[in-house]
Amino acid sequence: MNEDKSQPGIDSTPSPEELRMRVAATREELGETVEALAAKADVKARAQEKTTAVKQQVTEKTAQVGAQLRDKATSAAHAVQERTPEPVRAKAAAAGGQVRDKAVHVAELARDKAPEPVLEKAGQGMRAARANRVPLLAVGVIVALLMVRRSRRNR
């Protein structure tokens, strides 16, 4: 019985080239395993990844809640406006105009007499108010309604 040594079998000895390929494959697998273990052992990098993920979640949730609040404030303002009788709305609009005129007058006086740091802080406040107009308008409408109701009760 003559055995053919060119085909690898169970009893055949691997060729040097085949051994080299096995060693290279084993080295590659070992390198991947070491990299995976190093990644698991890098607590600082894992903590930073988790922190980044949590920050992103908080940012998304904050934007979502802000949008919900704006929507609710808008719908509340519309509901109050729809339920308010026309004469009350007219009085509230007139009162709002008077308040606006007084505010402009007071602002001019304050601008003329206030020191620079106070003016700077006031400017920051105005920018914040402009950025949040809908909630401020809703609060203004509610305050105007409360003032009108209170004046009616005092009659």
Side-chain angles (χ1 to χ4, degrees):
M1 302 203 153
N2 201 1
E3 291 184 15
D4 187 10
K5 302 246 181 186
S6 63
Q7 294 181 355
I10 298 174
D11 296 333
S12 68
T13 306
S15 68
E17 184 61 35
E18 186 179 338
L19 287 174
R20 284 188 197 101
M21 289 182 357
R22 286 183 187 175
V23 168
T26 303
R27 281 184 184 155
E28 187 174 325
E29 289 176 17
L30 183 60
E32 291 172 1
T33 304
V34 168
E35 285 178 14
L37 288 173
K40 284 186 177 182
D42 191 359
V43 176
K44 184 177 180 181
R46 289 175 62 196
Q48 286 177 341
E49 289 172 0
K50 185 69 173 176
T51 301
T52 302
V54 169
K55 281 182 183 178
Q56 184 177 3
Q57 289 174 350
V58 167
T59 302
E60 291 171 0
K61 190 67 173 178
T62 302
Q64 182 182 13
V65 168
Q68 288 174 348
L69 285 175
R70 279 189 295 278
D71 291 344
K72 286 183 180 182
T74 301
S75 64
H78 287 301
V80 167
Q81 192 174 25
E82 289 173 1
R83 292 181 185 154
T84 305
E86 183 57 38
V88 174
R89 280 192 270 171
K91 285 184 181 180
Q98 290 175 353
V99 168
R100 195 174 307 113
D101 292 342
K102 283 287 187 186
V104 168
H105 179 67
V106 169
E108 289 172 356
L109 289 175
R111 193 177 316 121
D112 292 341
K113 301 196 186 241
E116 187 61 34
V118 172
L119 291 176
E120 188 175 313
K121 288 289 183 185
Q124 290 174 354
M126 288 300 293
R127 285 189 292 276
R130 285 186 184 122
N132 299 303
R133 285 184 183 186
V134 172
L136 288 174
L137 287 174
V139 169
V141 167
I142 292 170
V143 168
L145 287 174
L146 292 174
M147 289 172 47
V148 168
R149 284 186 181 171
R150 188 173 185 179
S151 69
R152 282 187 173 177
R153 286 184 190 158
N154 291 337
R155 287 184 186 174

